[in-house]
Amino acid sequence: MVLPCDRHGVRGCRFHVERGRVKVNQSLIPAARPIIGDEEREAVDRVLRSGMVAQGPEVKAFEAEFGEQLVGGRECVAVNSGTAGLHLGLLACGIGPGDEVIVPSFTFAATGNSVALTGATPVFADIEPDHFCLDPRSVRESVTERTRAIMPVHLYGHPAAMAELRAIADEHDLLLFEDAAQAHGARLDGAPVGTFGDFAMFSLYPTKNMTSGEGGMVSCGSPEVARQLRLLRNQGMEVQYANEIVGFNARMTDLHAAIGRVQLTKVGGWTDQRRANAAVLDAGLADVDGVTTPPVKDGATHVYHQYTIRVAEDRDRVVQALREEHGVGSGVYYPIPNHRLPSLERYAPGLDLPRTEEAARQVISLPVHPSLTEGDLERVVEGVRATVRAGA
Ligand SMILES: *Cc1c(COP(=O)(O)O)cnc(C)c1O
């Protein structure tokens, strides 16, 4: 059904024809949308007017507030990116050349990169299919004499199987870390993510559940790890010009911390909205043949950094049709497993991770962010229903 549209002088219709194809007259619903408002602008202005913009009192306050609100009072150290948080966290825990760290391959490359940057070897394990997180059985099979640590990712905002991974770590005397880049506020069996590991990293990149512009927050399992991180962040100095170890400049600025502090007051409400949006998508897509909606494990609180479905067939066609015919943006996280990337494949010659590869072929992340309207959600549901049916 093709109606005349406002391009032809009639307002309010949804379609027009362009070069023989039906196009939708509506703006694209973006896959992600950072929310930055007046309060963030005023906070930055306040820091600018103070004349002191580098790491200072705002960073200190941000660390304390983040620790209180999100990780049960654990000591937190702010850095200038999530990737720096992983890299420095690994170094602070003594990871280096000769060590192996077991990580998922189905994640953003920063997970494996940070291990490789320490000189250690990332060892890629497979995922369990329901929640896309590390499969403890695959982790167990990957342990060798050189294994020093396990670093699961709470992918898409769903907590990894921390109890099972803790048991493996204890059994083999391994450290346990958390890549919580996508999981601010997620919980498992009553405890927030970021409280299970020897360290945990939260990313503050703009598309994450909260942002500071760029940045990372590391939650520390002990005062020693926190102290090492503070040294590594600042050229190895606690006392100025008395450099104790070789370190980086990975400091967060007070400008970024000021934004992060405002976002911290809002992230709880945004998470509630993400969860409510996910419930609408769950209900709307439950009965669609060829679509698997994301299940949540008993005892887990999912914070839906992404709402990720699986489609049985021809994922790329679905992504394209959603965008072009329904005005629905979506994302594919991640199309190439880390162990197949040119940058990381040398760590995993010949490795076969069937569940990871299947997920990489099937996943689509639909918009779930807190600024979606009811109409947007309806359009997402309608779009998926029509597209998957049309291809069936
Ligand atoms: C975003 C992300 C990172 C890296 O965080 P940055 O702040 O972008 O450096 C690491 N791991 C995962 C799983 C991520 O999603």
Side-chain angles (χ1 to χ4, degrees):
M1 179 186 55
V2 179
L3 302 170
C5 73
D6 48 8
R7 296 200 181 184
H8 308 116
V10 180
R11 294 185 63 81
C13 79
R14 290 182 57 202
F15 307 99
H16 72 280
V17 179
E18 190 177 296
R19 275 180 270 128
R21 296 192 63 181
V22 179
K23 297 277 175 176
V24 180
N25 291 329
Q26 50 200 352
S27 56
L28 188 75
I29 301 171
R33 196 170 87 81
I35 305 175
I36 294 164
D38 290 343
E39 284 180 82
E40 283 86 344
R41 275 188 286 278
E42 280 159 22
V44 169
D45 205 36
R46 181 184 74 234
V47 175
L48 283 172
R49 268 187 271 114
S50 79
M52 299 195 306
V53 297
Q55 183 186 298
E58 293 283 338
V59 169
K60 196 167 184 218
F62 186 30
E63 291 174 339
E65 290 159 4
F66 193 101
E68 272 314 306
Q69 189 178 316
L70 289 178
V71 289
R74 269 201 180 194
E75 184 167 359
C76 287
V77 178
V79 289
N80 56 4
S81 76
T83 306
L86 289 178
H87 184 201
L88 271 54
L90 291 162
L91 292 174
C93 291
I95 301 298
D99 297 334
E100 292 179 356
V101 179
I102 299 172
V103 291
S105 170
F106 194 58
T107 174
F108 184 51
T111 313
N113 282 349
S114 62
V115 174
L117 284 169
T118 68
T121 300
V123 172
F124 297 106
D126 214 347
I127 53 169
E128 44 75 35
D130 281 351
H131 314 111
F132 304 101
C133 294
L134 265 185
D135 178 357
R137 282 174 310 175
S138 178
V139 169
R140 195 178 282 283
E141 286 164 12
S142 307
V143 174
T144 73
E145 280 169 16
R146 296 188 150 204
T147 308
R148 283 282 314 283
I150 308 167
M151 185 156 74
V153 178
H154 305 301
L155 198 73
Y156 305 143
H158 190 290
M162 298 313 290
E164 293 83 351
L165 295 174
R166 168 53 72 194
I168 298 169
D170 288 349
E171 198 177 309
H172 295 276
D173 201 15
L174 309 176
L175 298 168
L176 182 62
F177 310 137
E178 297 171 74
D179 181 337
Q182 307 184 353
H184 315 65
R187 301 176 74 85
L188 182 64
D189 300 329
V193 305
T195 61
F196 294 93
D198 293 281
F199 81 85
M201 177 283 288
F202 295 85
S203 170
L204 300 166
Y205 185 73
T207 57
K208 304 294 160 90
N209 287 26
M210 62 174 282
T211 185
S212 60
E214 288 267 13
M217 190 66 83
V218 185
S219 148
C220 302
S222 72
E224 297 77 55
V225 169
R227 179 173 143 74
Q228 283 302 309
L229 265 163
R230 290 184 195 285
L231 288 174
L232 287 163
R233 171 176 72 176
N234 189 33
Q235 313 283 3
M237 295 188 285
E238 184 173 319
V239 177
Q240 189 140 45
Y241 306 132
N243 309 57
E244 298 173 41
I245 61 171
V246 175
F248 297 81
N249 172 0
R251 297 182 300 262
M252 178 181 279
T253 74
D254 266 15
L255 292 168
H256 294 86
I259 298 170
R261 290 181 70 195
V262 175
Q263 296 256 314
L264 196 55
T265 67
K266 302 180 177 172
V267 69
W270 289 335
T271 298
D272 292 344
Q273 192 59 54
R274 283 177 183 274
R275 289 167 51 76
N277 292 349
V280 173
L281 297 174
D282 277 343
L285 298 174
D287 63 341
V288 185
D289 274 347
V291 170
T292 309
T293 56
V296 180
K297 189 180 185 166
D298 278 349
T301 304
H302 195 330
V303 295
Y304 295 100
H305 171 60
Q306 301 293 348
Y307 181 93
T308 302
I309 60 171
R310 286 177 187 263
V311 292
E313 273 168 71
D314 210 353
R315 184 259 319 276
D316 296 340
R317 177 192 67 81
V318 175
V319 168
Q320 186 181 354
L322 281 174
R323 188 179 60 241
E324 293 183 0
E325 287 159 33
H326 301 275
V328 173
S330 62
V332 172
Y333 315 106
Y334 298 87
I336 306 174
N338 284 193
H339 73 289
R340 301 283 189 206
L341 290 172
S343 54
L344 292 168
E345 66 186 350
R346 72 191 176 90
Y347 293 102
L351 182 65
D352 193 21
L353 299 175
R355 290 181 159 172
T356 293
E357 312 238 358
E358 182 180 56
R361 281 193 304 273
Q362 294 185 337
V363 291
I364 302 178
S365 296
L366 302 174
V368 73
H369 51 85
S371 21
L372 296 173
T373 63
E374 272 175 42
D376 290 338
L377 286 163
E378 237 167 67
R379 206 202 308 170
V380 174
V381 167
E382 273 173 23
V384 173
R385 296 184 76 96
T387 304
V388 174
R389 196 175 303 122

